mmCIF file with all atom_site columns, all heavy atoms in Angstrom:
data_model
loop_
_atom_site.group_PDB
_atom_site.id
_atom_site.type_symbol
_atom_site.label_atom_id
_atom_site.label_alt_id
_atom_site.label_comp_id
_atom_site.label_asym_id
_atom_site.label_entity_id
_atom_site.label_seq_id
_atom_site.pdbx_PDB_ins_code
_atom_site.Cartn_x
_atom_site.Cartn_y
_atom_site.Cartn_z
_atom_site.occupancy
_atom_site.B_iso_or_equiv
_atom_site.pdbx_formal_charge
_atom_site.auth_seq_id
_atom_site.auth_comp_id
_atom_site.auth_asym_id
_atom_site.auth_atom_id
_atom_site.pdbx_PDB_model_num
ATOM 1   N N   . HIS A 1 397 ? 4.590   6.259   16.577 1.00 95.00 ? 397 HIS A N   1
ATOM 2   C CA  . HIS A 1 397 ? 5.268   5.003   16.230 1.00 95.00 ? 397 HIS A CA  1
ATOM 3   C C   . HIS A 1 397 ? 4.897   3.896   17.215 1.00 95.00 ? 397 HIS A C   1
ATOM 4   O O   . HIS A 1 397 ? 4.585   2.768   16.814 1.00 95.00 ? 397 HIS A O   1
ATOM 5   C CB  . HIS A 1 397 ? 6.787   5.199   16.252 1.00 95.00 ? 397 HIS A CB  1
ATOM 6   C CG  . HIS A 1 397 ? 7.309   6.059   15.142 1.00 95.00 ? 397 HIS A CG  1
ATOM 7   N ND1 . HIS A 1 397 ? 6.676   6.168   13.923 1.00 95.00 ? 397 HIS A ND1 1
ATOM 8   C CD2 . HIS A 1 397 ? 8.415   6.848   15.064 1.00 95.00 ? 397 HIS A CD2 1
ATOM 9   C CE1 . HIS A 1 397 ? 7.363   6.996   13.143 1.00 95.00 ? 397 HIS A CE1 1
ATOM 10  N NE2 . HIS A 1 397 ? 8.421   7.415   13.818 1.00 95.00 ? 397 HIS A NE2 1
ATOM 11  N N   . HIS A 1 398 ? 4.945   4.222   18.500 1.00 96.00 ? 398 HIS A N   1
ATOM 12  C CA  . HIS A 1 398 ? 4.629   3.229   19.533 1.00 96.00 ? 398 HIS A CA  1
ATOM 13  C C   . HIS A 1 398 ? 3.191   2.735   19.386 1.00 96.00 ? 398 HIS A C   1
ATOM 14  O O   . HIS A 1 398 ? 2.917   1.526   19.471 1.00 96.00 ? 398 HIS A O   1
ATOM 15  C CB  . HIS A 1 398 ? 4.852   3.827   20.919 1.00 96.00 ? 398 HIS A CB  1
ATOM 16  C CG  . HIS A 1 398 ? 4.361   2.957   22.035 1.00 96.00 ? 398 HIS A CG  1
ATOM 17  N ND1 . HIS A 1 398 ? 5.008   1.797   22.428 1.00 96.00 ? 398 HIS A ND1 1
ATOM 18  C CD2 . HIS A 1 398 ? 3.265   3.070   22.844 1.00 96.00 ? 398 HIS A CD2 1
ATOM 19  C CE1 . HIS A 1 398 ? 4.332   1.232   23.418 1.00 96.00 ? 398 HIS A CE1 1
ATOM 20  N NE2 . HIS A 1 398 ? 3.288   1.983   23.683 1.00 96.00 ? 398 HIS A NE2 1
ATOM 21  N N   . ASN A 1 399 ? 2.277   3.666   19.159 1.00 97.00 ? 399 ASN A N   1
ATOM 22  C CA  . ASN A 1 399 ? 0.873   3.295   19.035 1.00 97.00 ? 399 ASN A CA  1
ATOM 23  C C   . ASN A 1 399 ? 0.633   2.459   17.786 1.00 97.00 ? 399 ASN A C   1
ATOM 24  O O   . ASN A 1 399 ? -0.173  1.513   17.798 1.00 97.00 ? 399 ASN A O   1
ATOM 25  C CB  . ASN A 1 399 ? -0.006  4.543   19.010 1.00 97.00 ? 399 ASN A CB  1
ATOM 26  C CG  . ASN A 1 399 ? -1.479  4.213   19.108 1.00 97.00 ? 399 ASN A CG  1
ATOM 27  O OD1 . ASN A 1 399 ? -1.921  3.503   20.005 1.00 97.00 ? 399 ASN A OD1 1
ATOM 28  N ND2 . ASN A 1 399 ? -2.257  4.715   18.157 1.00 97.00 ? 399 ASN A ND2 1
ATOM 29  N N   . TYR A 1 400 ? 1.314   2.804   16.696 1.00 97.00 ? 400 TYR A N   1
ATOM 30  C CA  . TYR A 1 400 ? 1.157   2.033   15.463 1.00 97.00 ? 400 TYR A CA  1
ATOM 31  C C   . TYR A 1 400 ? 1.556   0.574   15.693 1.00 97.00 ? 400 TYR A C   1
ATOM 32  O O   . TYR A 1 400 ? 0.809   -0.354  15.354 1.00 97.00 ? 400 TYR A O   1
ATOM 33  C CB  . TYR A 1 400 ? 2.008   2.630   14.348 1.00 97.00 ? 400 TYR A CB  1
ATOM 34  C CG  . TYR A 1 400 ? 1.785   1.963   13.005 1.00 97.00 ? 400 TYR A CG  1
ATOM 35  C CD1 . TYR A 1 400 ? 0.812   2.421   12.129 1.00 97.00 ? 400 TYR A CD1 1
ATOM 36  C CD2 . TYR A 1 400 ? 2.551   0.863   12.612 1.00 97.00 ? 400 TYR A CD2 1
ATOM 37  C CE1 . TYR A 1 400 ? 0.580   1.803   10.914 1.00 97.00 ? 400 TYR A CE1 1
ATOM 38  C CE2 . TYR A 1 400 ? 2.331   0.231   11.402 1.00 97.00 ? 400 TYR A CE2 1
ATOM 39  C CZ  . TYR A 1 400 ? 1.350   0.712   10.548 1.00 97.00 ? 400 TYR A CZ  1
ATOM 40  O OH  . TYR A 1 400 ? 1.125   0.071   9.345  1.00 97.00 ? 400 TYR A OH  1
ATOM 41  N N   . ASN A 1 401 ? 2.727   0.370   16.254 1.00 96.00 ? 401 ASN A N   1
ATOM 42  C CA  . ASN A 1 401 ? 3.193   -1.000  16.499 1.00 96.00 ? 401 ASN A CA  1
ATOM 43  C C   . ASN A 1 401 ? 2.291   -1.733  17.483 1.00 96.00 ? 401 ASN A C   1
ATOM 44  O O   . ASN A 1 401 ? 2.060   -2.942  17.349 1.00 96.00 ? 401 ASN A O   1
ATOM 45  C CB  . ASN A 1 401 ? 4.636   -0.971  17.004 1.00 96.00 ? 401 ASN A CB  1
ATOM 46  C CG  . ASN A 1 401 ? 5.611   -0.461  15.951 1.00 96.00 ? 401 ASN A CG  1
ATOM 47  O OD1 . ASN A 1 401 ? 5.356   -0.575  14.746 1.00 96.00 ? 401 ASN A OD1 1
ATOM 48  N ND2 . ASN A 1 401 ? 6.719   0.104   16.391 1.00 96.00 ? 401 ASN A ND2 1
ATOM 49  N N   . ARG A 1 402 ? 1.746   -1.004  18.454 1.00 96.00 ? 402 ARG A N   1
ATOM 50  C CA  . ARG A 1 402 ? 0.836   -1.623  19.420 1.00 96.00 ? 402 ARG A CA  1
ATOM 51  C C   . ARG A 1 402 ? -0.458  -2.066  18.744 1.00 96.00 ? 402 ARG A C   1
ATOM 52  O O   . ARG A 1 402 ? -0.971  -3.165  19.010 1.00 96.00 ? 402 ARG A O   1
ATOM 53  C CB  . ARG A 1 402 ? 0.543   -0.626  20.555 1.00 96.00 ? 402 ARG A CB  1
ATOM 54  C CG  . ARG A 1 402 ? -0.388  -1.153  21.626 1.00 96.00 ? 402 ARG A CG  1
ATOM 55  C CD  . ARG A 1 402 ? -0.506  -0.197  22.797 1.00 96.00 ? 402 ARG A CD  1
ATOM 56  N NE  . ARG A 1 402 ? -1.018  1.107   22.423 1.00 96.00 ? 402 ARG A NE  1
ATOM 57  C CZ  . ARG A 1 402 ? -1.586  1.966   23.273 1.00 96.00 ? 402 ARG A CZ  1
ATOM 58  N NH1 . ARG A 1 402 ? -1.689  1.640   24.559 1.00 96.00 ? 402 ARG A NH1 1
ATOM 59  N NH2 . ARG A 1 402 ? -2.025  3.128   22.861 1.00 96.00 ? 402 ARG A NH2 1
ATOM 60  N N   . CYS A 1 403 ? -0.997  -1.228  17.859 1.00 97.00 ? 403 CYS A N   1
ATOM 61  C CA  . CYS A 1 403 ? -2.222  -1.588  17.141 1.00 97.00 ? 403 CYS A CA  1
ATOM 62  C C   . CYS A 1 403 ? -1.982  -2.773  16.203 1.00 97.00 ? 403 CYS A C   1
ATOM 63  O O   . CYS A 1 403 ? -2.837  -3.663  16.084 1.00 97.00 ? 403 CYS A O   1
ATOM 64  C CB  . CYS A 1 403 ? -2.746  -0.391  16.350 1.00 97.00 ? 403 CYS A CB  1
ATOM 65  S SG  . CYS A 1 403 ? -3.445  0.936   17.370 1.00 97.00 ? 403 CYS A SG  1
ATOM 66  N N   . VAL A 1 404 ? -0.823  -2.786  15.525 1.00 97.00 ? 404 VAL A N   1
ATOM 67  C CA  . VAL A 1 404 ? -0.493  -3.911  14.644 1.00 97.00 ? 404 VAL A CA  1
ATOM 68  C C   . VAL A 1 404 ? -0.411  -5.202  15.437 1.00 97.00 ? 404 VAL A C   1
ATOM 69  O O   . VAL A 1 404 ? -0.953  -6.236  15.031 1.00 97.00 ? 404 VAL A O   1
ATOM 70  C CB  . VAL A 1 404 ? 0.835   -3.642  13.904 1.00 97.00 ? 404 VAL A CB  1
ATOM 71  C CG1 . VAL A 1 404 ? 1.359   -4.923  13.236 1.00 97.00 ? 404 VAL A CG1 1
ATOM 72  C CG2 . VAL A 1 404 ? 0.655   -2.553  12.850 1.00 97.00 ? 404 VAL A CG2 1
ATOM 73  N N   . LYS A 1 405 ? 0.233   -5.163  16.589 1.00 96.00 ? 405 LYS A N   1
ATOM 74  C CA  . LYS A 1 405 ? 0.357   -6.369  17.416 1.00 96.00 ? 405 LYS A CA  1
ATOM 75  C C   . LYS A 1 405 ? -1.005  -6.842  17.911 1.00 96.00 ? 405 LYS A C   1
ATOM 76  O O   . LYS A 1 405 ? -1.313  -8.044  17.890 1.00 96.00 ? 405 LYS A O   1
ATOM 77  C CB  . LYS A 1 405 ? 1.279   -6.091  18.604 1.00 96.00 ? 405 LYS A CB  1
ATOM 78  C CG  . LYS A 1 405 ? 1.556   -7.325  19.466 1.00 96.00 ? 405 LYS A CG  1
ATOM 79  C CD  . LYS A 1 405 ? 2.574   -7.025  20.551 1.00 96.00 ? 405 LYS A CD  1
ATOM 80  C CE  . LYS A 1 405 ? 2.873   -8.292  21.356 1.00 96.00 ? 405 LYS A CE  1
ATOM 81  N NZ  . LYS A 1 405 ? 3.896   -8.018  22.406 1.00 96.00 ? 405 LYS A NZ  1
ATOM 82  N N   . GLU A 1 406 ? -1.841  -5.904  18.342 1.00 96.00 ? 406 GLU A N   1
ATOM 83  C CA  . GLU A 1 406 ? -3.178  -6.249  18.834 1.00 96.00 ? 406 GLU A CA  1
ATOM 84  C C   . GLU A 1 406 ? -4.001  -6.904  17.722 1.00 96.00 ? 406 GLU A C   1
ATOM 85  O O   . GLU A 1 406 ? -4.640  -7.945  17.925 1.00 96.00 ? 406 GLU A O   1
ATOM 86  C CB  . GLU A 1 406 ? -3.884  -4.989  19.321 1.00 96.00 ? 406 GLU A CB  1
ATOM 87  C CG  . GLU A 1 406 ? -5.230  -5.231  19.975 1.00 96.00 ? 406 GLU A CG  1
ATOM 88  C CD  . GLU A 1 406 ? -5.114  -5.813  21.372 1.00 96.00 ? 406 GLU A CD  1
ATOM 89  O OE1 . GLU A 1 406 ? -4.272  -5.318  22.145 1.00 96.00 ? 406 GLU A OE1 1
ATOM 90  O OE2 . GLU A 1 406 ? -5.850  -6.771  21.675 1.00 96.00 ? 406 GLU A OE2 1
ATOM 91  N N   . MET A 1 407 ? -3.964  -6.292  16.558 1.00 96.00 ? 407 MET A N   1
ATOM 92  C CA  . MET A 1 407 ? -4.745  -6.806  15.446 1.00 96.00 ? 407 MET A CA  1
ATOM 93  C C   . MET A 1 407 ? -4.200  -8.142  14.963 1.00 96.00 ? 407 MET A C   1
ATOM 94  O O   . MET A 1 407 ? -4.961  -9.076  14.657 1.00 96.00 ? 407 MET A O   1
ATOM 95  C CB  . MET A 1 407 ? -4.735  -5.785  14.312 1.00 96.00 ? 407 MET A CB  1
ATOM 96  C CG  . MET A 1 407 ? -5.673  -6.111  13.171 1.00 96.00 ? 407 MET A CG  1
ATOM 97  S SD  . MET A 1 407 ? -7.399  -5.972  13.653 1.00 96.00 ? 407 MET A SD  1
ATOM 98  C CE  . MET A 1 407 ? -8.156  -7.115  12.506 1.00 96.00 ? 407 MET A CE  1
ATOM 99  N N   . MET A 1 408 ? -2.885  -8.268  14.889 1.00 96.00 ? 408 MET A N   1
ATOM 100 C CA  . MET A 1 408 ? -2.288  -9.494  14.379 1.00 96.00 ? 408 MET A CA  1
ATOM 101 C C   . MET A 1 408 ? -2.592  -10.689 15.271 1.00 96.00 ? 408 MET A C   1
ATOM 102 O O   . MET A 1 408 ? -2.796  -11.809 14.785 1.00 96.00 ? 408 MET A O   1
ATOM 103 C CB  . MET A 1 408 ? -0.770  -9.317  14.216 1.00 96.00 ? 408 MET A CB  1
ATOM 104 C CG  . MET A 1 408 ? -0.125  -10.397 13.344 1.00 96.00 ? 408 MET A CG  1
ATOM 105 S SD  . MET A 1 408 ? 1.629   -10.117 13.063 1.00 96.00 ? 408 MET A SD  1
ATOM 106 C CE  . MET A 1 408 ? 1.596   -8.656  12.018 1.00 96.00 ? 408 MET A CE  1
ATOM 107 N N   . SER A 1 409 ? -2.647  -10.466 16.582 1.00 94.00 ? 409 SER A N   1
ATOM 108 C CA  . SER A 1 409 ? -2.983  -11.565 17.485 1.00 94.00 ? 409 SER A CA  1
ATOM 109 C C   . SER A 1 409 ? -4.397  -12.068 17.230 1.00 94.00 ? 409 SER A C   1
ATOM 110 O O   . SER A 1 409 ? -4.670  -13.278 17.326 1.00 94.00 ? 409 SER A O   1
ATOM 111 C CB  . SER A 1 409 ? -2.833  -11.115 18.948 1.00 94.00 ? 409 SER A CB  1
ATOM 112 O OG  . SER A 1 409 ? -3.791  -10.108 19.274 1.00 94.00 ? 409 SER A OG  1
ATOM 113 N N   . GLN A 1 410 ? -5.308  -11.156 16.845 1.00 93.00 ? 410 GLN A N   1
ATOM 114 C CA  . GLN A 1 410 ? -6.674  -11.558 16.543 1.00 93.00 ? 410 GLN A CA  1
ATOM 115 C C   . GLN A 1 410 ? -6.778  -12.209 15.154 1.00 93.00 ? 410 GLN A C   1
ATOM 116 O O   . GLN A 1 410 ? -7.620  -13.087 14.934 1.00 93.00 ? 410 GLN A O   1
ATOM 117 C CB  . GLN A 1 410 ? -7.601  -10.346 16.616 1.00 93.00 ? 410 GLN A CB  1
ATOM 118 C CG  . GLN A 1 410 ? -7.641  -9.673  17.987 1.00 93.00 ? 410 GLN A CG  1
ATOM 119 C CD  . GLN A 1 410 ? -8.079  -10.631 19.082 1.00 93.00 ? 410 GLN A CD  1
ATOM 120 O OE1 . GLN A 1 410 ? -9.076  -11.343 18.937 1.00 93.00 ? 410 GLN A OE1 1
ATOM 121 N NE2 . GLN A 1 410 ? -7.334  -10.656 20.178 1.00 93.00 ? 410 GLN A NE2 1
ATOM 122 N N   . VAL A 1 411 ? -5.935  -11.781 14.237 1.00 94.00 ? 411 VAL A N   1
ATOM 123 C CA  . VAL A 1 411 ? -5.857  -12.446 12.934 1.00 94.00 ? 411 VAL A CA  1
ATOM 124 C C   . VAL A 1 411 ? -5.463  -13.902 13.132 1.00 94.00 ? 411 VAL A C   1
ATOM 125 O O   . VAL A 1 411 ? -6.034  -14.819 12.537 1.00 94.00 ? 411 VAL A O   1
ATOM 126 C CB  . VAL A 1 411 ? -4.849  -11.718 12.016 1.00 94.00 ? 411 VAL A CB  1
ATOM 127 C CG1 . VAL A 1 411 ? -4.582  -12.536 10.752 1.00 94.00 ? 411 VAL A CG1 1
ATOM 128 C CG2 . VAL A 1 411 ? -5.360  -10.334 11.641 1.00 94.00 ? 411 VAL A CG2 1
ATOM 129 N N   . LYS A 1 412 ? -4.473  -14.105 13.979 1.00 91.00 ? 412 LYS A N   1
ATOM 130 C CA  . LYS A 1 412 ? -3.995  -15.465 14.263 1.00 91.00 ? 412 LYS A CA  1
ATOM 131 C C   . LYS A 1 412 ? -5.073  -16.300 14.955 1.00 91.00 ? 412 LYS A C   1
ATOM 132 O O   . LYS A 1 412 ? -5.276  -17.472 14.613 1.00 91.00 ? 412 LYS A O   1
ATOM 133 C CB  . LYS A 1 412 ? -2.753  -15.370 15.149 1.00 91.00 ? 412 LYS A CB  1
ATOM 134 C CG  . LYS A 1 412 ? -2.236  -16.692 15.703 1.00 91.00 ? 412 LYS A CG  1
ATOM 135 C CD  . LYS A 1 412 ? -1.588  -17.539 14.634 1.00 91.00 ? 412 LYS A CD  1
ATOM 136 C CE  . LYS A 1 412 ? -0.929  -18.768 15.255 1.00 91.00 ? 412 LYS A CE  1
ATOM 137 N NZ  . LYS A 1 412 ? -0.344  -19.662 14.223 1.00 91.00 ? 412 LYS A NZ  1
ATOM 138 N N   . ALA A 1 413 ? -5.797  -15.710 15.902 1.00 91.00 ? 413 ALA A N   1
ATOM 139 C CA  . ALA A 1 413 ? -6.717  -16.486 16.741 1.00 91.00 ? 413 ALA A CA  1
ATOM 140 C C   . ALA A 1 413 ? -8.096  -16.671 16.118 1.00 91.00 ? 413 ALA A C   1
ATOM 141 O O   . ALA A 1 413 ? -8.738  -17.701 16.327 1.00 91.00 ? 413 ALA A O   1
ATOM 142 C CB  . ALA A 1 413 ? -6.853  -15.806 18.109 1.00 91.00 ? 413 ALA A CB  1
ATOM 143 N N   . HIS A 1 414 ? -8.583  -15.669 15.335 1.00 91.00 ? 414 HIS A N   1
ATOM 144 C CA  . HIS A 1 414 ? -9.992  -15.686 14.929 1.00 91.00 ? 414 HIS A CA  1
ATOM 145 C C   . HIS A 1 414 ? -10.219 -15.610 13.425 1.00 91.00 ? 414 HIS A C   1
ATOM 146 O O   . HIS A 1 414 ? -11.368 -15.471 12.988 1.00 91.00 ? 414 HIS A O   1
ATOM 147 C CB  . HIS A 1 414 ? -10.737 -14.536 15.610 1.00 91.00 ? 414 HIS A CB  1
ATOM 148 C CG  . HIS A 1 414 ? -10.700 -14.593 17.103 1.00 91.00 ? 414 HIS A CG  1
ATOM 149 N ND1 . HIS A 1 414 ? -11.411 -15.518 17.837 1.00 91.00 ? 414 HIS A ND1 1
ATOM 150 C CD2 . HIS A 1 414 ? -10.012 -13.828 18.013 1.00 91.00 ? 414 HIS A CD2 1
ATOM 151 C CE1 . HIS A 1 414 ? -11.177 -15.326 19.131 1.00 91.00 ? 414 HIS A CE1 1
ATOM 152 N NE2 . HIS A 1 414 ? -10.328 -14.310 19.267 1.00 91.00 ? 414 HIS A NE2 1
ATOM 153 N N   . GLY A 1 415 ? -9.157  -15.669 12.627 1.00 89.00 ? 415 GLY A N   1
ATOM 154 C CA  . GLY A 1 415 ? -9.353  -15.632 11.184 1.00 89.00 ? 415 GLY A CA  1
ATOM 155 C C   . GLY A 1 415 ? -9.688  -14.267 10.632 1.00 89.00 ? 415 GLY A C   1
ATOM 156 O O   . GLY A 1 415 ? -10.260 -14.164 9.540  1.00 89.00 ? 415 GLY A O   1
ATOM 157 N N   . PHE A 1 416 ? -9.362  -13.211 11.381 1.00 94.00 ? 416 PHE A N   1
ATOM 158 C CA  . PHE A 1 416 ? -9.529  -11.860 10.854 1.00 94.00 ? 416 PHE A CA  1
ATOM 159 C C   . PHE A 1 416 ? -8.480  -11.617 9.766  1.00 94.00 ? 416 PHE A C   1
ATOM 160 O O   . PHE A 1 416 ? -7.585  -12.429 9.548  1.00 94.00 ? 416 PHE A O   1
ATOM 161 C CB  . PHE A 1 416 ? -9.381  -10.810 11.960 1.00 94.00 ? 416 PHE A CB  1
ATOM 162 C CG  . PHE A 1 416 ? -10.422 -10.891 13.046 1.00 94.00 ? 416 PHE A CG  1
ATOM 163 C CD1 . PHE A 1 416 ? -10.250 -10.210 14.252 1.00 94.00 ? 416 PHE A CD1 1
ATOM 164 C CD2 . PHE A 1 416 ? -11.582 -11.632 12.881 1.00 94.00 ? 416 PHE A CD2 1
ATOM 165 C CE1 . PHE A 1 416 ? -11.205 -10.271 15.258 1.00 94.00 ? 416 PHE A CE1 1
ATOM 166 C CE2 . PHE A 1 416 ? -12.546 -11.701 13.877 1.00 94.00 ? 416 PHE A CE2 1
ATOM 167 C CZ  . PHE A 1 416 ? -12.351 -11.025 15.064 1.00 94.00 ? 416 PHE A CZ  1
ATOM 168 N N   . GLU A 1 417 ? -8.567  -10.465 9.094  1.00 96.00 ? 417 GLU A N   1
ATOM 169 C CA  . GLU A 1 417 ? -7.540  -10.069 8.133  1.00 96.00 ? 417 GLU A CA  1
ATOM 170 C C   . GLU A 1 417 ? -7.112  -8.638  8.420  1.00 96.00 ? 417 GLU A C   1
ATOM 171 O O   . GLU A 1 417 ? -7.877  -7.846  8.967  1.00 96.00 ? 417 GLU A O   1
ATOM 172 C CB  . GLU A 1 417 ? -8.045  -10.189 6.685  1.00 96.00 ? 417 GLU A CB  1
ATOM 173 C CG  . GLU A 1 417 ? -8.192  -11.625 6.208  1.00 96.00 ? 417 GLU A CG  1
ATOM 174 C CD  . GLU A 1 417 ? -8.436  -11.727 4.711  1.00 96.00 ? 417 GLU A CD  1
ATOM 175 O OE1 . GLU A 1 417 ? -8.296  -10.699 3.996  1.00 96.00 ? 417 GLU A OE1 1
ATOM 176 O OE2 . GLU A 1 417 ? -8.754  -12.836 4.238  1.00 96.00 ? 417 GLU A OE2 1
#
Side-chain angles (χ1 to χ4, degrees):
H397 290 332
H398 171 73
N399 189 53
Y400 186 90
N401 294 334
R402 180 173 60 159
C403 289
V404 167
K405 185 175 182 179
E406 185 75 44
M407 188 69 206
M408 196 176 291
S409 66
Q410 299 302 312
V411 170
K412 172 72 173 177
H414 300 288
F416 297 166
E417 288 191 10

